[in-house]
Structures are given as C-alpha cells and as structure tokens.
Amino acid sequence: MTLHTESLRDHACLTVHGPDQAGLVAAVTALITRNKGNIVSLDQYSSDPEGGDFFQRVVFHRPDLQAALPDIQDDVAKTLKPYGMEHRLTDQSIPKRMAILASTSDHCLLELLWRHRRGELPVTIPMVISNHTNTAEDVRSFGIPFFHVPSQGPDKSAAEARIVELLAGNVDFVVLARYMQILSDSFLEKVGVPVINIHHSFLPAFIGAAPYRKAWERGVKLIGATSHYVTKDLDEGPIIEQDVARVTHAHTAADLQARGAYVERAVLSRAVQWHAEDRVIRHGNHTIVFA
Amino acid sequence: MTLHTESLRDHACLTVHGPDQAGLVAAVTALITRNKGNIVSLDQYSSDPEGGDFFQRVVFHRPDLQAALPDIQDDVAKTLKPYGMEHRLTDQSIPKRMAILASTSDHCLLELLWRHRRGELPVTIPMVISNHTNTAEDVRSFGIPFFHVPSQGPDKSAAEARIVELLAGNVDFVVLARYMQILSDSFLEKVGVPVINIHHSFLPAFIGAAPYRKAWERGVKLIGATSHYVTKDLDEGPIIEQDVARVTHAHTAADLQARGAYVERAVLSRAVQWHAEDRVIRHGNHTIVFA
Amino acid sequence: MTLHTESLRDHACLTVHGPDQAGLVAAVTALITRNKGNIVSLDQYSSDPEGGDFFQRVVFHRPDLQAALPDIQDDVAKTLKPYGMEHRLTDQSIPKRMAILASTSDHCLLELLWRHRRGELPVTIPMVISNHTNTAEDVRSFGIPFFHVPSQGPDKSAAEARIVELLAGNVDFVVLARYMQILSDSFLEKVGVPVINIHHSFLPAFIGAAPYRKAWERGVKLIGATSHYVTKDLDEGPIIEQDVARVTHAHTAADLQARGAYVERAVLSRAVQWHAEDRVIRHGNHTIVFA
Amino acid sequence: MTLHTESLRDHACLTVHGPDQAGLVAAVTALITRNKGNIVSLDQYSSDPEGGDFFQRVVFHRPDLQAALPDIQDDVAKTLKPYGMEHRLTDQSIPKRMAILASTSDHCLLELLWRHRRGELPVTIPMVISNHTNTAEDVRSFGIPFFHVPSQGPDKSAAEARIVELLAGNVDFVVLARYMQILSDSFLEKVGVPVINIHHSFLPAFIGAAPYRKAWERGVKLIGATSHYVTKDLDEGPIIEQDVARVTHAHTAADLQARGAYVERAVLSRAVQWHAEDRVIRHGNHTIVFA
C-alpha cells in the first residue's frame, strides 16, 4: 500500500496460485532466499487446506534485480512445475501501461489522470481513446495522447478494429472509464490484455438504460458501484471492488446519478490501483484481492 | 430522534400526504396554532412543486392533549378535506403494539427485544409468534408472551389462521424477524396492519435459498440487508432502510452469513424504530423517511 | 439536494433562527402564502420546545421573484420583528461568489473547481489566491483568475492586506482549500464574510505539524477530516461536516496522508455545497445542517 | 475469519515478531514443513525491509497436533533463537478463557455473551465480575457465573484484591465491558494477562465525565469508539479497532449516547474476536492486526 513516489527499485512481485499442496509456501520462500531476495510482504490465502486452492503474493527486495530477473524467472518456473501452479513474476519498478477508453462522462477518466499525476497509480498512460471529443483538451492538458474513434451506426466492427490497432502491443491493461459502447467477444480476444470496467449500482438490479432512474423509482436507500474484469458474460465478470453511498427520498434521479459518479470514480480507482500493483488474482469468476 | 425514555406526554404527530398544492403548509401550521399546539419538529418534502406530491410530518406539543385529541382530529379532517390529502394524527405517548414473527434465527428477534427493554423502541410487544420453540425461553425472560404456531406440510392455511387469530385486534404492526415462512396474500389482507420484513442482500440478486452462499460464489465485496413493507409482490415492497458490510475473499459463506446477521439486525431495528415513530410515509412503491 | 443544472429560477430560500416561540412556523408559512409563494421544501428544528432555539429553512417558488423580492424582504422583516429572530432571504438562482485560498496541495482546490465545472456547486469563483504558483496553470485552465500572493517571513500583514484588497466586495464567502498560512484575527474581521476551512484528522488529537505522521505513530485505525467555519479560536469553529476512512498497520504515514487527502476533498466539497445552498445555520459554536 | 462453529481441531497458530532479517519467512515455513504442518493462512508485514520490524501470523494444519505440540514448540524456540524473535504457538482448538468486568451498562456485556452463545467468539467465559448487580440475572441466564464485587469509597484496593483473587490462574485475558472503575497500575501487574478496554469517542477529545454531552456541545457530526489494550497510560494503550457513526444536529446528547452504545459494542466485539484468534500483535504503542 506504499505510495509510488517512494522507490520500488529492485522490488519484485511474485504471485502464485493453483491447487493447495503441502510445502508450497516453504518452496516459494526457499526459492526467494536462494535468489538473494528479502521478503517485504507476503499475503497468502487457501480456500480450504484439504483439496482447496492456494493463492499467494510475495514482494521481495533483491539488489540488482534487473540483471537477475531472467535467472529468477527460470528458477520460479522450475520450482513450481511439479506443483502445477500458475505464477507471474514482475519487476515492481516497471509501471504497467494502461489505456483508458471513455465516452462523454469525465468523472472516472479525470480521476484516473489526476491520481496518476499525483504519483498514486504505478502506471504509464500511453493513450486515452474516446468515441467523443469533449474530453480531448482535458486529457492532453495532462500530457497524454488522445485518440478519437467515433462509433456510429449498428456496425461497431470498424471502430473496434481501429481501437485494437491502437492498443496492440502498446498496453498491459485497458480501463473502461464509463465507456458506453458494448464490446464484442472478439474484441476481448484480440486485445489480449485484462480489461477493467466500472458499472453503476448492483447488478443484476436495474439492468439496461437509465439505471439511476430505475433505482430512484424503486426508492433505494443506497446506491453503489462495482468494478470488475470484463468477460464474455457482460457485466458478470469477476468483481474487484464495490462500494455504496447513502441516499434519501429527497434525492432526485439526477442527484443519484451525481452521487453515483463519486462512488464510481472511487471504486474504479481502487480497482485500477490494486490491479496495477498485482494485488488481484483472478480465479474462476472470483478475485482474491490482497489489498 | 429523541430517546423514548424522555417523556413524549402531550406530543402529537400529524402526517399528511397527497397532491402538492399552494398553501398546504400554511393550512396545517395554522391548524396547529389554533388548536394551541407548539410545533416541535416539522419535516416536509415535495416531489415537485408543480404537480408533484406533498409529504409532511409535524410533531407538536399540546397541553392536555388526550382531552383535546378528538376535537383536533375533527379539525384536521375538515381542514384537509378540500385538499384531498391522506392524514394520520397520533398521540406520541401511546406506544404502538408490535408483534414479532420469528423462526429459528434469533439475531433480529433478540435485538428488538433488547432495544425495547433499553427504552429505545416506542412500542409494546404483546407477543412473539414462532414456528419453532428454540427461542421461547429467551423471549419469556424478557417478560414477553411466546406462542408456538408450527407450520408443517404444504398447507399453511391452518397455521396462518391461528396467527391471524392471535394478532387480530391486538397489534398495530407486525415484524417478520427472519420468519422463514411465505405468507399468503390473504394473510396480509386479514391481518390488516403494516407488516415489516428484513431480507438478506440486494434483491433481485441471489434470490431463493442459500443467498449468502450465492453471494459468496459470486465473489461479492459487500453484503447487505434491506427492510421493507410486505406487499403481495414478495420482497418487492417499499424499502424502508438498507445497509451493507464489507467482506473479502477470505470470508467463507458461513462468515458472510454471520456478518449479514449483524447488518440485518441493525437495518431491521432502524426500520422498526422509524415506523413506530411515524417517520415513514408509504407512497406507491416508495417510502418517504423523515429519519 | 437538487442538482444545480436544473433551474432554480424564481426560487427563494428563507432561513430563520432564534428563541423558539409558539406560532412561529405558522407566521412564516402564512407570510409565504400571502406573498404568492409555494413551499418547495421546509426543514425545521427546535432544540427544545420549551425555552429552546428554533431553526428553519424554507425554499419557496414564487413567479417573478426578482421583482417581488424587495417587498417580500420588507414583509419578512416586519413579520419576524416581534419574535426577535435572525433571518436571511436569498434568491436561489443567484449563485454565491466563492474565493478559494490555496497553497501547494491541489487536491481540495481541483475538486472544487471540477465540481463547479460539472454544475454541482451553485457558486461563481471570481478568483483563486495562492501563496505558491504551482497550481496557476491548472486553475486558469478552468477559466478562473489566479492571483499569487507570496507569504514570506514572519510578518504576514502585507500579504493579508493584499488578499483583503482582492477579496473586498468581490466575494460572498472564502474557502481555505489546504491554505497553510495562519490568518490573523483582524483578517477575519476585515474580510467580513464566512470563511470555511478543512483540517486533517480529529482535533484536538495530532495538533501541529505532521499530523498524519502523529496519527500513524499512534497506530490509529481511522483517519478523518473536519470542515468548519473559521473563528478566532483556531480550528475550533463550528463544525459543518466530518468523515473518516479506514486504515491499517500496513499503511505508511505517507499512505495515511494520501488517503486523508481523499477524505478532505469530499468533506470540504460537501461543506461548501451545503453552505452555498444556505443549508447551514450557525448557532454559537454549533451548526444546524439541513442536508 | 472462519466461524468457530467449524472445527479448528489440529490447527496451530504461530505468531512471530522482532527485527526483520533475511531468510526469516523461509526459516519459519521450513520449520512448519518439517513438522508435517500444512499452512492454511499466512499474514506477514515488515515495517521496513531494511532495519524495520517483522510480524507474521501463520495458521497451519497438523494431524495429531496435541501430541506433537511440545516438540514443535521446542523446534520453534530453537529455530527462532538466532533471530532473537518473540513468538507464540497456540492450539487453535483450545479457546482462550475470557473474564468480563462490567458496571451497570449492559450493551457491551450482553453483546459479548450473545456472540459467544452463537459460537462466533472462540473463548470460554469463566466469569463476569461487576461492581453492580443489575446484570446478574441476564448473565446467569447465559449459564455464566456472575460475581458481585462492590467498589465503594475512595479506597479501591480491597475490591481490586478480590477481583485479582477471582481471576488468578483462571483467565487468559480480561475485557472491560464499560467497567467504570479506574484500575490501578498494580492491578495490571498482578492480573498478568492482557486487558482490553472500550472507550467512547475520540480521545483525547472529550476527556472525563459526560463525554457524549461534550461531543454534543461541540456539535460533532460523527461519534466513535475505540478498543485498546490497557496500559499504565490510561486510555492511551495500543489501539485494536475503531469505528464511527454519523449524527446530526437533531440528535440530543442522550441520542448520541444511545448511538455510541451500538458503535461501542461492535468495536469491542471485533477487538475481542481478533485478540481471541491471535490476530493482534502488540508492538510498542501500536498493534498489527491481521484481520
């Protein structure tokens, strides 16, 4: 949870998950020790000690990490092979490259740009893509490239192709910051990196258009937001973070929407930060979040 | 929001709602003044000043209220008739009579009994009815009658008839404190008083049996509870109060259920208190809550 | 709580407070009716029906308000004179003029500018004054004048005089958005309008420099922020709003500061909005907030 | 966070803390592996990888734990000796013995008894001691011994001696559930086990008698509660947990006290549960809480 203005030089993050087995933690920690790493933080979770799943995130400090990383990588693969675990080893000092897709709403977009500028998100932002132009000036004032990819008519394939072309090879994950276009299954495949979304309220309630109006008509006392990974099941992907705000009968549907915007930007920001820091492990339709 | 250990003697509560019209507030306040009342608190809400609905709750102090109440009642009816408003005038020093229906779970039941004993709920509790016997001793230790009405087999009509018989004329409202039997439409008609329910989580999500397990399988980061008035549309009645608690991947389905229990008892208690204090006005499928 | 993108044309807000007396609400509502107003919302609070204090906020719609306002103002003064009440009548469609004083931190400043641009704060912002220059470009990108008034050395009187000169006659209230200079008593007198401040954490805990470090050393599990009116008793003025965020042992002092920044901007924004909408009545060292 | 209705048989908890050193995690995990343990959960925190402090909590499953525990204990001591670490190894299936000290207020006391009965606190409760008698019947209805130790006059030493006599050898920790007597330094020494307290609000604010009245006079918008370990510095011991509830101008001082009671019981319950589960490590005037 350390701020990214502090140095993360020579810090590596190793995440491991798969079927739980005796000796796993010992194997991983011995591996780090023999590679001259000193463990800074370790989070571990087993869904069930007998026949369950195992999840671990270890951050370790290793002088001259950059030079040693390939060797450590080899050792990790060799060590974990007999256990059949998935794993990922990253150099924490190398920020992930994050693209943002947006539409007219600016609240999630600007919050991310602003937190990034404050040094609170360990990412670079190579581009913002929008199907509208209204945020272009704001985005560029942060020194970040803005691309306009209009999305008109029923056929979105040309727009999607253009977006894939922009993203390909340039980004490590994509954030839909209130991007109001439905993406095709093939988009997800082609883009090939994790995509994080934010949606209003508590699905499956208030599906479809005008959700805040529907929530208002139902007389809810709380409104919420959920950030999740995008999968083929629209808005049903693994949840990363959720939060709510209290409302009363005296709020209009427009008030709900305004309050909801503040919940959305906070929830999405936390989800993005945790993803960027390798704190989120996907498992089936769940997430394990070592926040 | 004053505690009920303090005297509410000579305090009346008038609630008024209906189509908004110019002069309504003035008419009501003039009425109170000419009946020698001094307004203690006044809450008012208009959904729209032009063509909307008007909701008001006024508490006023009036010496010798009990003697004057019938006259004031007449004046209220006469004054509000031209406006076509619904209204209710109550003596705040007379607690409402609340029956509780429960099953095996005791968390909501005991919370209500305990808050009542602390003087925080302005109600009397003439009876607790349960389709199980496990809470009998606890209930009676609070000095409250306990009736066992078993509910076996597919035909619930005999059990319902017995419950209606117990309630008839004896209660002003009914609370379902995790009562796990579905009540028939005709029960609601026969019982003839408001019925308040508490349910787990955020409907329409996780409908049916084992909701906490379903929420756990979905990997939610928040669990919630909703208290609402019971209508013929099961669990779709006007919402009175909602709240949530935060959970993580490390919680089991049983943990979610345990945490949910604490949210449920808090949400139901607030809903009951607000109802008992005439703070809730039902309007279509909404509530206006002057909390 | 209606958003300010909706029209507030022909809406007036009347706040009244002073010693509680029988008939006050009736007098006020009759006054509005005879001036052709229709009450949109009315909030009222009495600290004690016998010998306590009375607080009221009424918003009413009155066609052609602007033309009628002077007459209504006279009627209000005449009507309330016998009761000895303080009162204030404002045209809700005329935004208050708000100056912001800031230092190097931008989180509170940018949040206010951004909410203002979204139409969520019913104010105009004639100027931002800072003793530093780092935010000048950001402020001006919102189309708002930026004035640099450096504050060096022990004698602040010249800087204060310059600020008073800029503010005089131009603003209705001042917001200290993490302005890190202590203002003299005479500044408050000369500026002659309400001044709203935000401070970290829960005073009187962690007074003085490096409060987040002190809170971290104390091992707190919550950090908070408080927005209040500035009085001669530094940081002891009437509280408008407070909130907290949860922290753990794993957060560094820098993390606490970063999280605190998000609480601060939310708390200050709410306080500013409520003040701008005439929802806050000061009474001794308290506030009554009809939020 | 698993509920204690599930079996904790053959589960051990090892906590380790002291100066951070390379290889510590590896040493501990190797130790568990060679003792035939399978790690169920592991939480670890280092205040600083270079020259900081290290804190770890490991829960592991080990068949036939009870027979093996002495050997494992020896191995732990031998293994950690060169590192100079403090450590504690416990059998998770053996509940801690918790005494409760109370006065007239019942909210914290009953909450603990009730959660215990629900199987949510992994403790036994050998006794409740009170300087009043009003809760005797309630306590005994839970099947728990109640001892009345009156505390009158300025000399509390006889009462303290009597309490120490009751506790000696019988309890693993003590909870002050709104116990309104100040305990002497020598009491803490003689009792020789951790003592957990709950206090209202945010100290150092509102010190002394009638804190809720003072908070009300100050016009606070939040009230809180803090649970901490008792040290010689009254109410300044290491914080375990804190929380708040929102209040408004419309709440009386009595309302604040009533709402505060609900925060107090929730905060104390969480602190007690975490302590009982060995989730809290004390370090100077801090706590590390692996919740």
Side-chain angles (χ1 to χ4, degrees):
Chain A
M1 263 174 262
T2 310
L3 272 187
H4 308 287
T5 47
E6 297 174 28
S7 173
L8 289 170
R9 202 157 72 89
D10 291 335
H11 282 69
C13 179
L14 173 65
T15 58
V16 175
H17 66 109
D20 200 359
Q21 294 152 76
L24 253 172
V25 178
V28 171
T29 51
L31 159 82
I32 291 167
T33 303
R34 78 171 163 262
N35 282 286
K36 304 196 178 62
N38 187 27
I39 294 178
V40 176
S41 78
L42 187 158
D43 292 288
Q44 186 258 327
Y45 166 68
S46 297
S47 63
D48 191 329
E50 318 223 351
D53 291 295
F54 171 91
F55 305 88
Q56 192 181 46
R57 176 184 187 267
V58 198
V59 175
F60 58 92
H61 179 257
R62 205 286 186 190
D64 300 319
L65 177 68
Q66 228 167 338
L69 207 60
D71 287 348
I72 303 176
Q73 187 76 63
D74 286 351
D75 199 358
V76 167
K78 211 164 51 187
T79 304
L80 292 175
K81 198 173 184 189
Y83 295 95
M85 309 299 281
E86 291 187 55
H87 52 83
R88 191 174 54 214
L89 180 70
T90 56
D91 182 336
Q92 293 283 92
S93 69
I94 301 176
K96 288 189 171 45
R97 301 164 300 162
M98 171 177 85
I100 305 175
L101 269 64
S103 293
T104 50
S105 292
D106 67 354
H107 56 282
C108 286
L109 170 62
L110 291 183
E111 182 75 13
L112 291 173
L113 297 182
W114 184 46
R115 291 195 186 213
H116 175 250
R117 189 175 73 175
R118 286 168 70 85
E120 292 177 20
L121 293 178
V123 298
T124 57
I125 307 180
M127 69 189 76
V128 169
I129 301 171
S130 176
N131 57 332
H132 293 269
T133 56
N134 62 305
T135 60
E137 198 179 337
D138 273 334
V139 169
R140 288 173 179 149
S141 80
F142 282 90
I144 291 175
F146 175 94
F147 297 110
H148 178 223
V149 180
S151 182
Q152 283 161 337
D155 184 6
K156 312 290 186 195
S157 59
E160 284 199 358
R162 172 77 179 121
I163 295 172
V164 169
E165 193 178 37
L166 286 164
L167 298 175
N170 291 323
V171 301
D172 297 309
F173 70 110
V174 174
V175 177
L176 308 182
R178 304 295 290 140
Y179 182 66
M180 303 306 280
Q181 299 292 317
I182 294 175
L183 296 166
S184 69
D185 290 356
S186 73
F187 175 85
L188 286 177
E189 272 167 39
K190 282 175 195 153
V191 84
V193 294
V195 178
I196 294 174
N197 190 26
I198 178 77
H199 68 62
H200 57 75
S201 197
F202 286 101
L203 293 175
F206 318 128
I207 286 179
Y212 285 111
R213 172 151 292 276
K214 285 174 188 159
W216 177 80
E217 282 165 2
R218 183 69 185 83
V220 299
K221 306 303 184 194
L222 293 175
I223 50 164
T226 296
S227 183
H228 63 97
Y229 288 111
V230 178
T231 60
K232 293 191 177 188
D233 296 319
L234 185 69
D235 288 337
E236 290 286 327
I239 296 169
I240 308 172
E241 173 63 338
Q242 301 186 294
D243 213 341
V244 294
R246 188 161 275 273
V247 294
T248 77
H249 61 265
H251 292 92
T252 63
D255 292 333
L256 261 60
Q257 185 156 4
R259 296 218 159 192
Y262 293 110
V263 184
E264 289 170 6
R265 69 177 189 174
V267 166
L268 181 61
S269 294
R270 289 201 291 267
V272 164
Q273 179 170 356
W274 293 338
H275 175 82
E277 294 176 353
D278 293 307
R279 295 181 179 279
V280 190
I281 300 178
R282 291 172 67 159
H283 176 63
N285 207 33
H286 290 248
T287 61
I288 280 72
V289 181
F290 294 122
Chain B
M1 266 175 260
T2 309
L3 271 187
H4 308 287
T5 47
E6 295 173 30
S7 174
L8 288 170
R9 202 158 71 87
D10 292 335
H11 283 69
C13 178
L14 174 64
T15 57
V16 176
H17 66 111
D20 199 1
Q21 293 152 75
L24 253 172
V25 178
V28 170
T29 52
L31 159 83
I32 291 167
T33 303
R34 77 174 165 260
N35 281 284
K36 303 193 179 62
N38 188 26
I39 292 176
V40 176
S41 78
L42 188 156
D43 291 289
Q44 187 257 327
Y45 166 67
S46 298
S47 63
D48 191 330
E50 319 222 349
D53 292 294
F54 172 91
F55 306 88
Q56 193 181 47
R57 177 184 185 265
V58 199
V59 175
F60 58 92
H61 180 256
R62 203 287 187 192
D64 301 319
L65 176 68
Q66 227 166 341
L69 206 61
D71 287 350
I72 303 176
Q73 188 75 66
D74 286 353
D75 199 357
V76 168
K78 212 164 52 190
T79 304
L80 292 176
K81 197 172 183 188
Y83 296 95
M85 307 300 280
E86 290 187 57
H87 51 84
R88 190 173 57 212
L89 181 69
T90 56
D91 182 336
Q92 292 283 91
S93 69
I94 300 176
K96 288 188 170 46
R97 298 164 304 163
M98 170 177 85
I100 305 176
L101 271 61
S103 294
T104 50
S105 290
D106 66 355
H107 57 280
C108 286
L109 171 62
L110 292 183
E111 181 76 12
L112 291 173
L113 297 181
W114 183 48
R115 291 197 185 210
H116 174 249
R117 189 174 76 178
R118 286 168 70 86
E120 292 177 20
L121 293 178
V123 299
T124 58
I125 306 180
M127 70 190 73
V128 169
I129 300 171
S130 177
N131 56 333
H132 293 269
T133 56
N134 62 305
T135 60
E137 199 179 335
D138 273 336
V139 170
R140 287 173 181 148
S141 80
F142 281 92
I144 290 174
F146 176 92
F147 299 110
H148 179 224
V149 181
S151 183
Q152 285 161 335
D155 184 6
K156 311 292 186 193
S157 59
E160 284 200 356
R162 174 72 180 125
I163 295 172
V164 169
E165 193 178 36
L166 286 164
L167 298 175
N170 291 323
V171 301
D172 297 310
F173 71 110
V174 174
V175 177
L176 308 182
R178 302 298 288 141
Y179 182 66
M180 303 306 281
Q181 300 292 318
I182 293 174
L183 297 166
S184 69
D185 290 357
S186 73
F187 175 85
L188 286 178
E189 271 167 38
K190 283 175 194 152
V191 84
V193 294
V195 178
I196 294 173
N197 191 26
I198 178 75
H199 68 63
H200 58 76
S201 197
F202 286 100
L203 293 175
F206 319 127
I207 286 180
Y212 285 111
R213 173 151 290 276
K214 285 174 189 160
W216 177 79
E217 283 165 1
R218 183 68 184 85
V220 298
K221 306 303 183 192
L222 293 175
I223 50 164
T226 297
S227 183
H228 62 97
Y229 288 111
V230 178
T231 60
K232 294 189 178 190
D233 296 320
L234 184 69
D235 288 336
E236 289 286 326
I239 295 169
I240 308 172
E241 173 64 338
Q242 300 185 295
D243 213 342
V244 294
R246 188 162 276 272
V247 293
T248 77
H249 61 266
H251 291 93
T252 64
D255 291 333
L256 263 58
Q257 185 156 2
R259 298 221 158 188
Y262 294 109
V263 184
E264 289 171 5
R265 69 177 192 177
V267 166
L268 180 60
S269 294
R270 290 201 291 267
V272 164
Q273 179 170 354
W274 294 337
H275 175 82
E277 294 175 352
D278 293 307
R279 294 181 179 280
V280 189
I281 300 178
R282 291 171 66 161
H283 175 64
N285 207 35
H286 289 248
T287 62
I288 279 72
V289 181
F290 293 123
Chain C
M1 267 175 259
T2 311
L3 272 187
H4 307 287
T5 46
E6 296 173 31
S7 175
L8 289 170
R9 202 159 71 90
D10 291 335
H11 282 69
C13 179
L14 174 64
T15 57
V16 175
H17 66 110
D20 199 0
Q21 294 153 77
L24 251 173
V25 178
V28 171
T29 51
L31 159 82
I32 291 167
T33 303
R34 79 173 163 259
N35 281 285
K36 303 194 177 65
N38 189 25
I39 293 178
V40 176
S41 78
L42 187 156
D43 292 288
Q44 186 257 325
Y45 167 67
S46 298
S47 63
D48 190 331
E50 318 221 351
D53 291 294
F54 171 91
F55 306 87
Q56 194 181 45
R57 176 183 186 268
V58 199
V59 176
F60 58 92
H61 180 255
R62 204 285 185 192
D64 301 319
L65 176 68
Q66 226 168 341
L69 206 60
D71 286 349
I72 303 177
Q73 187 75 66
D74 286 351
D75 198 356
V76 168
K78 211 164 51 189
T79 304
L80 291 176
K81 196 172 184 191
Y83 295 95
M85 307 301 279
E86 291 186 55
H87 52 84
R88 190 175 54 212
L89 180 70
T90 56
D91 181 337
Q92 293 282 93
S93 69
I94 301 176
K96 288 188 171 44
R97 301 164 300 163
M98 171 177 84
I100 304 176
L101 270 62
S103 294
T104 49
S105 290
D106 66 356
H107 57 281
C108 286
L109 171 62
L110 291 183
E111 182 75 13
L112 291 173
L113 297 182
W114 182 45
R115 292 196 184 211
H116 174 250
R117 189 175 76 177
R118 285 168 71 85
E120 292 177 20
L121 293 178
V123 298
T124 57
I125 307 181
M127 69 188 76
V128 169
I129 301 171
S130 176
N131 57 331
H132 293 269
T133 56
N134 61 305
T135 61
E137 197 179 338
D138 273 335
V139 169
R140 286 174 180 147
S141 80
F142 282 92
I144 291 176
F146 175 91
F147 299 109
H148 179 223
V149 179
S151 182
Q152 284 161 335
D155 184 6
K156 313 292 187 192
S157 59
E160 284 199 357
R162 173 73 179 126
I163 296 172
V164 169
E165 195 178 35
L166 285 165
L167 299 175
N170 290 324
V171 300
D172 297 310
F173 71 110
V174 174
V175 177
L176 308 182
R178 304 296 289 142
Y179 182 67
M180 303 307 280
Q181 298 293 317
I182 294 174
L183 296 166
S184 68
D185 291 357
S186 73
F187 175 85
L188 287 177
E189 272 168 37
K190 282 175 195 152
V191 84
V193 295
V195 178
I196 294 174
N197 190 26
I198 179 76
H199 68 62
H200 57 75
S201 195
F202 286 101
L203 294 174
F206 318 128
I207 286 180
Y212 286 110
R213 173 152 288 275
K214 285 174 188 160
W216 177 80
E217 283 166 1
R218 182 70 186 83
V220 299
K221 306 303 183 191
L222 294 175
I223 49 163
T226 296
S227 184
H228 63 96
Y229 288 111
V230 178
T231 61
K232 294 192 176 186
D233 296 320
L234 184 70
D235 287 335
E236 290 286 325
I239 295 168
I240 307 171
E241 174 64 335
Q242 300 184 295
D243 213 339
V244 294
R246 188 163 276 271
V247 293
T248 77
H249 62 264
H251 291 92
T252 63
D255 291 333
L256 262 60
Q257 185 155 4
R259 297 219 157 188
Y262 293 108
V263 184
E264 289 170 7
R265 70 177 190 177
V267 167
L268 180 61
S269 294
R270 292 202 290 268
V272 164
Q273 179 170 354
W274 293 339
H275 175 82
E277 294 175 353
D278 293 308
R279 295 181 179 279
V280 189
I281 301 179
R282 291 170 67 160
H283 176 63
N285 206 35
H286 289 248
T287 61
I288 280 71
V289 180
F290 295 122
Chain D
M1 265 174 259
T2 310
L3 270 188
H4 308 287
T5 48
E6 295 173 30
S7 174
L8 288 170
R9 203 158 70 89
D10 291 335
H11 282 70
C13 179
L14 172 65
T15 57
V16 176
H17 66 110
D20 200 0
Q21 294 152 75
L24 253 173
V25 178
V28 171
T29 52
L31 159 82
I32 291 167
T33 302
R34 77 172 164 261
N35 282 284
K36 303 193 177 64
N38 189 26
I39 293 178
V40 176
S41 77
L42 188 157
D43 292 289
Q44 186 257 327
Y45 166 66
S46 298
S47 62
D48 191 330
E50 320 222 350
D53 292 294
F54 171 91
F55 306 87
Q56 192 183 45
R57 176 186 187 264
V58 197
V59 176
F60 58 93
H61 179 257
R62 204 286 184 191
D64 302 317
L65 177 68
Q66 228 166 340
L69 206 61
D71 287 349
I72 303 176
Q73 187 76 65
D74 286 351
D75 198 358
V76 168
K78 214 164 49 191
T79 305
L80 292 176
K81 197 172 183 189
Y83 296 96
M85 309 300 280
E86 291 187 54
H87 52 85
R88 190 173 55 212
L89 179 70
T90 57
D91 181 337
Q92 291 284 90
S93 69
I94 301 176
K96 288 189 172 44
R97 299 165 302 163
M98 169 177 85
I100 305 176
L101 271 62
S103 293
T104 50
S105 291
D106 68 354
H107 57 280
C108 286
L109 171 62
L110 292 183
E111 182 75 11
L112 291 174
L113 297 181
W114 184 46
R115 291 196 185 212
H116 175 250
R117 189 174 75 177
R118 288 168 69 86
E120 293 177 18
L121 293 179
V123 298
T124 58
I125 308 181
M127 71 188 75
V128 169
I129 300 171
S130 176
N131 57 331
H132 293 269
T133 57
N134 61 305
T135 60
E137 199 179 335
D138 273 336
V139 170
R140 288 175 179 146
S141 80
F142 282 91
I144 290 174
F146 175 93
F147 298 110
H148 178 222
V149 181
S151 183
Q152 285 161 337
D155 184 6
K156 312 291 186 194
S157 60
E160 284 200 357
R162 173 74 180 125
I163 295 172
V164 169
E165 195 177 34
L166 287 165
L167 299 175
N170 291 323
V171 300
D172 297 311
F173 70 109
V174 174
V175 177
L176 309 182
R178 302 296 290 141
Y179 181 67
M180 304 306 280
Q181 299 292 318
I182 293 174
L183 296 167
S184 68
D185 290 356
S186 73
F187 175 85
L188 286 178
E189 274 168 36
K190 284 174 194 154
V191 86
V193 294
V195 178
I196 294 174
N197 190 28
I198 178 77
H199 68 62
H200 58 74
S201 197
F202 287 101
L203 293 175
F206 318 128
I207 286 181
Y212 285 111
R213 173 152 290 276
K214 285 174 189 159
W216 177 80
E217 284 166 0
R218 183 69 184 83
V220 298
K221 306 304 183 190
L222 294 175
I223 51 164
T226 297
S227 184
H228 63 98
Y229 288 111
V230 177
T231 60
K232 293 192 176 187
D233 296 320
L234 184 69
D235 289 335
E236 290 286 327
I239 295 168
I240 307 170
E241 174 62 339
Q242 301 185 294
D243 213 342
V244 294
R246 187 163 276 273
V247 294
T248 77
H249 62 265
H251 291 92
T252 64
D255 292 334
L256 261 59
Q257 185 155 5
R259 299 219 156 189
Y262 293 110
V263 184
E264 288 171 7
R265 69 177 190 176
V267 167
L268 181 60
S269 295
R270 290 201 291 267
V272 164
Q273 179 170 355
W274 293 338
H275 176 81
E277 295 175 354
D278 293 308
R279 295 181 180 280
V280 189
I281 301 178
R282 291 171 67 162
H283 176 63
N285 207 35
H286 291 248
T287 62
I288 279 72
V289 181
F290 294 122

